[in-house]
Amino acid sequence: MALTDITQRANNSSGARTPTRQTTLFDALNAAQRHSNKRQRRSAPFSSSSQENTPPEGSSDQSEGKVLKRVRLESLHISVATPPTQSSVVHNIILPAPAPKSPAAQYGSLYSARSAIRLRQRQQNVPMRAVSTINRLESLVSPEARVYRLQAEEDSQIGALPLACKYSNSVGTQSRLALVDEGGMISLFDPLNSKMDVAGEDGMQPVVRWRGHDNSIFDVEWYADDTRMVTASADETCRLWDVEQQKLLGVFSGHSQTVRSVSWQHEDQHCFSSASRDGSLMMWDLRVNKAKAGDEYSYRPVNTISRAHYGLRHVGKAPRGKGSLVAGSVTAIKHLRHNANLVASVGSTSETVKYWDTRMSVPTRATELPTPAATSLLPSSTGRSRGTSSLTLDPDGTRLYSACNDNRVYVHNALLPDTPIAQLDAPEFECSSFNITTSVSPSGRHLAAGSANGSVVVWELDMYGQNSSKRRAVLQGHIKEAGCVAWYPGAEKTQLATCGDDGTMRVWDINVELADAAKADPMKRCRWGFTSVHQTH
């Protein structure tokens, strides 16, 4: 019987009498317990077992000891103590694992349902002691066979630098790693290729490579079934691609500056959102607002939120806090899992994370600013506004990680927007540009972040998304800024891909033999990279 039914039944049992107060959940539980005791006394035979009539330890009255009776109501595990009778028996309906300390030892042999709930809440507030796995990451290595060096295209004078990499949602042999670069090229790799030839000079080679845009591509997102992907470019458009045939399916036009980030909606894969340097967020639907243009479609946004992240521009000797409002760049956008209509965004003007309802109406006046559904404000110690580089959602959708330009990664509760619940920092972590990204491992135990000094920092996370163990792993392999990072989505293998301004993409795998060889030989350590584990005091 549900708890609401028990409460309603207890309230209605009084008949025409007017109760002096409303029956609470605890009154309903005690009433249900009394009825259960009566039924047990009527049906249960007399038992003379000494174990059944033995009072529990710690009872003040040994002659009239009391026996714990444990019941299960829906998902609540509540222990209720009742005085024993000659016909009473010990009931252990649910006991998957005994508690370290019995409730009777903490509250005495007789305690109420309220005390049981309070005990359960207290036990939930104790951090879960999980086995540390950060030492395994010390064997991460990226030999030359796992390094891809970008080359400028013949028809392009732009030096090719990797800007973003993303793993597909599939695991195993069907998994693919997408890489987009400054030259507008899209490359797909087989990340689970077992070849680990440390003497190879050619490095990794893409399975397929094609031109996606005529300008730099800043972001790429896979479709749910990995048959399509959407890219965001500096040519002010997003494009939808057929991955199998490398065919253009649609062009999404509407932004007036570089598109920095895209994110698919989790429940409805016909919709995605984009963020641009023009300060706007745009929502797109593959089913509407489209027109046939040759072999592909041309799309218009279904909703636009302008000036989503704005700041103050000081003119001349304007006093502090005075100036004109200007639209800042939106650096990242992310759809939330628990609500299909909510997106989170961060910008270049502040550390604030804003949550938007994609169905909200657009302000009609040019001077009117949009109002987010919620905000997560970061307390600033210096009063100086700093921008935010990236936004990452953990696999279960409960934590948001924002990399801020104050060299910290802030942890937000995605279900309850408020001030950050924690922050992550390290001496090796430098976030001084808007190309630094973060990525959460599929288990949710590790958070990787690029750094302006070429390092990649991996924090160990607890059940609350915090670095309670104060332990981190540092990957050294890039000689310039390491921007984008991405974890392999499968649980059967630990693999991490990183991109750097040195023109390389590295794929890191756990290999104890190669890691030991790299640590012993400085030349191999320079070519293959190495990982070290640090403890923060």
Side-chain angles (χ1 to χ4, degrees):
M1 182 181 297
L3 293 178
T4 55
D5 297 337
I6 295 176
T7 307
Q8 184 177 4
R9 180 178 175 181
N11 288 331
N12 295 335
S13 62
S14 59
R17 294 177 299 171
T18 302
T20 57
R21 66 180 179 86
Q22 184 73 13
T23 301
T24 64
L25 171 62
F26 307 103
D27 297 332
L29 289 175
N30 292 329
Q33 185 61 42
R34 288 194 297 270
H35 290 303
S36 177
N37 293 339
K38 291 180 180 178
R39 288 194 297 268
Q40 292 292 341
R41 286 195 296 269
R42 293 172 183 172
S43 60
F46 176 78
S47 175
S48 59
S49 172
S50 60
Q51 180 182 1
E52 295 174 355
N53 294 300
T54 301
E57 297 180 3
S59 175
S60 59
D61 189 358
Q62 297 295 332
S63 62
E64 297 182 0
K66 301 174 178 60
V67 181
L68 290 178
K69 181 176 181 181
R70 297 178 179 176
V71 297
R72 181 173 185 174
L73 298 177
E74 297 291 319
S75 61
L76 287 176
H77 297 262
I78 302 175
S79 300
V80 182
T82 57
T85 62
Q86 289 184 341
S87 60
S88 65
V89 294
V90 178
H91 300 270
N92 289 322
I93 301 177
I94 50 155
L95 275 178
K101 196 172 184 180
S102 64
Q106 282 191 315
Y107 290 99
S109 58
L110 182 64
Y111 62 99
S112 63
R114 185 187 299 272
S115 300
I117 294 178
R118 186 166 61 248
L119 172 63
R120 179 171 177 264
Q121 292 174 347
R122 179 180 297 179
Q123 292 175 347
Q124 286 181 343
N125 292 333
V126 178
M128 181 175 61
R129 296 182 179 179
V131 178
S132 176
T133 60
I134 196 69
N135 287 334
R136 292 184 66 250
L137 303 184
E138 198 169 8
S139 299
L140 282 172
V141 65
S142 176
E144 293 181 352
R146 291 297 194 180
V147 179
Y148 176 63
R149 292 176 173 82
L150 278 76
Q151 302 293 333
E153 296 297 317
E154 297 179 358
D155 58 345
S156 174
Q157 299 298 324
I158 302 177
L161 296 178
L163 295 180
C165 61
K166 293 288 176 62
Y167 281 92
S168 62
N169 301 302
S170 304
V171 297
T173 57
Q174 302 298 322
S175 178
R176 292 292 181 266
L177 174 61
L179 173 70
V180 293
D181 57 49
E182 198 175 19
M185 302 297 294
I186 304 173
S187 306
L188 298 184
F189 298 85
D190 180 8
L192 299 188
N193 187 352
S194 59
K195 180 181 178 182
M196 292 292 290
D197 182 12
V198 296
E201 298 180 357
D202 295 335
M204 294 183 64
Q205 295 300 322
V207 177
V208 63
R209 178 177 169 88
W210 75 94
R211 176 168 295 282
H213 294 262
D214 294 330
N215 210 327
S216 302
I217 304 177
F218 282 89
D219 198 10
V220 58
E221 282 288 333
W222 289 87
Y223 193 71
D225 58 3
D226 295 335
T227 59
R228 293 178 286 182
M229 65 169 56
V230 63
T231 54
S233 173
D235 62 6
E236 304 173 2
T237 66
C238 300
R239 294 188 178 183
L240 183 68
W241 297 94
D242 184 318
V243 177
E244 197 68 29
Q245 302 179 6
Q246 299 87 52
K247 179 182 178 182
L248 179 62
L249 300 179
V251 179
F252 303 82
S253 304
H255 289 290
S256 60
Q257 293 187 35
T258 298
V259 185
R260 287 297 309 264
S261 178
V262 289
S263 176
W264 286 101
Q265 194 178 90
H266 296 283
E267 294 185 1
D268 188 355
Q269 285 288 306
H270 293 97
C271 303
F272 73 93
S273 300
S274 60
S276 172
R277 282 179 176 170
D278 59 12
S280 66
L281 308 175
M282 290 190 177
M283 293 73 191
W284 312 86
D285 193 327
L286 304 182
R287 299 162 294 189
V288 297
N289 286 12
K290 60 182 180 179
K292 190 71 172 180
D295 295 335
E296 68 272 359
Y297 285 93
S298 177
Y299 291 86
R300 303 299 298 175
V302 295
N303 197 8
T304 302
I305 302 176
S306 301
R307 293 197 292 179
H309 291 264
Y310 49 84
L312 286 174
R313 179 177 61 185
H314 300 281
V315 180
K317 297 182 179 180
R320 183 177 180 83
K322 301 293 184 179
S324 60
L325 287 176
V326 293
S329 171
V330 184
T331 55
I333 188 172
K334 190 65 64 177
H335 272 273
L336 303 184
R337 290 185 180 273
H338 70 280
N339 192 326
N341 298 313
L342 283 182
V343 294
S345 66
V346 291
S348 61
T349 58
S350 68
E351 311 92 336
T352 304
V353 179
K354 297 185 178 182
Y355 302 82
W356 307 91
D357 191 333
T358 57
R359 305 162 299 178
M360 66 177 294
S361 58
V362 180
T364 56
R365 297 181 181 179
T367 58
E368 187 178 358
L369 297 174
T371 302
T375 57
S376 181
L377 300 176
L378 281 76
S380 179
S381 58
T382 61
R384 176 184 176 186
S385 296
R386 301 177 185 269
T388 306
S389 174
S390 64
L391 197 61
T392 303
L393 187 67
D394 68 347
D396 60 3
T398 59
R399 297 287 181 266
L400 270 173
Y401 298 89
S402 61
C404 185
N405 282 3
D406 61 357
N407 300 331
R408 294 183 179 92
V409 177
Y410 292 95
V411 187
H412 306 264
N413 186 348
L415 308 180
L416 185 62
D418 201 349
T419 56
I421 59 177
Q423 66 181 30
L424 309 175
D425 54 12
E428 301 85 4
F429 178 63
E430 296 180 9
C431 185
S432 57
S433 72
F434 294 111
N435 296 322
I436 303 298
T437 66
T438 58
S439 179
V440 184
S441 64
S443 64
R445 292 293 308 277
H446 302 101
L447 174 74
S451 180
N453 56 20
S455 303
V456 176
V457 183
V458 181
W459 288 277
E460 186 177 40
L461 306 177
D462 57 19
M463 62 180 297
Y464 303 107
Q466 305 174 15
N467 182 231
S468 58
S469 68
K470 305 299 183 183
R471 306 192 70 188
R472 67 188 184 278
V474 180
L475 284 64
Q476 302 284 351
H478 296 283
I479 59 176
K480 292 185 178 181
E481 177 181 282
C484 184
V485 294
W487 286 97
Y488 171 70
E492 76 281 0
K493 186 178 182 63
T494 300
Q495 189 179 90
L496 182 67
T498 61
C499 298
D501 283 356
D502 53 4
T504 63
M505 180 188 72
R506 289 182 172 269
V507 176
W508 302 76
D509 293 281
I510 291 181
N511 192 308
V512 179
E513 182 180 355
L514 295 182
D516 292 341
K519 293 177 182 178
D521 190 342
M523 293 299 296
K524 292 181 180 179
R525 185 165 61 247
C526 181
R527 298 198 312 268
W528 300 352
F530 67 99
T531 305
S532 57
V533 175
H534 302 269
Q535 176 79 31
T536 302
H537 299 286

